[in-house]
Amino acid sequence: RIPAGTGEILRVNGGEFQIKDIQAASADGFVVPVVFKDGSAGTLPRGFSLYQNFPNPFNPTTEISFDLPVSVKVELTVYDLLGRHVKMLADGIYAAGHHNLMWDGRDEKGSSVASGIYFYQLKAADFTARKKMILLK
């Protein structure tokens, strides 16, 4: 357990070493970015990944996370159970690293969508992945 805010959790004096990976999460399961004292970010992801949204089921918002090993054009789209486009959450170039986006259960017009099963799909370079989520009102 680490107190909220900025704090030092590891100090290494002298010697030669390489940190391969550091992962941290908040008490509610959200990934927390790790930044070194010199301002550099932790290691970059080794590959593309799309994670399960959290929370799931959700109401009214959910967080969708993904990893990119390189900077690339990203499309993150929400579809309904019949495969109809509901909302484009991302459409542009994203830097390499870990990303979190929120969906508020609204369509492109800003209207709240109905309770039910939805899919979200990530397209980045040659990578495509899809996951299921449930909106319960």
Side-chain angles (χ1 to χ4, degrees):
R1 189 170 276 275
I2 302 169
T6 302
E8 183 177 284
I9 59 171
L10 174 69
R11 180 184 294 198
V12 178
N13 293 319
E16 189 171 317
F17 66 95
Q18 180 180 11
I19 297 174
K20 295 283 188 182
D21 189 29
I22 295 178
Q23 296 180 355
S26 63
D28 54 2
F30 290 100
V31 174
V32 178
V34 175
V35 178
F36 294 100
K37 193 171 186 177
D38 67 1
S40 63
T43 59
L44 293 175
R46 293 186 185 102
F48 293 97
S49 295
L50 176 63
Y51 298 98
Q52 187 62 52
N53 65 301
F54 182 84
N56 189 35
F58 71 96
N59 180 22
T61 62
T62 190
E63 182 176 66
I64 299 171
S65 301
F66 57 91
D67 288 342
L68 304 172
V70 295
S71 295
V72 68
K73 182 178 188 314
V74 168
E75 291 179 5
L76 182 61
T77 311
V78 176
Y79 298 94
D80 68 12
L81 192 57
L82 299 176
R84 295 178 295 207
H85 175 96
V86 174
K87 177 83 175 188
M88 179 73 77
L89 298 178
D91 185 15
I93 304 294
Y94 279 71
H98 184 79
H99 300 273
N100 302 310
L101 297 176
M102 299 296 289
W103 183 44
D104 61 2
R106 297 183 183 277
D107 62 17
E108 295 288 5
K109 296 176 184 175
S111 301
S112 293
V113 299
S115 294
I117 297 172
Y118 293 86
F119 296 93
Y120 55 101
Q121 178 175 282
L122 175 70
K123 288 184 181 181
D126 293 335
F127 177 82
T128 301
R130 183 179 291 168
K131 301 265 184 193
K132 178 172 68 171
M133 60 184 162
I134 300 171
L135 171 59
L136 287 179
K137 292 185 178 183

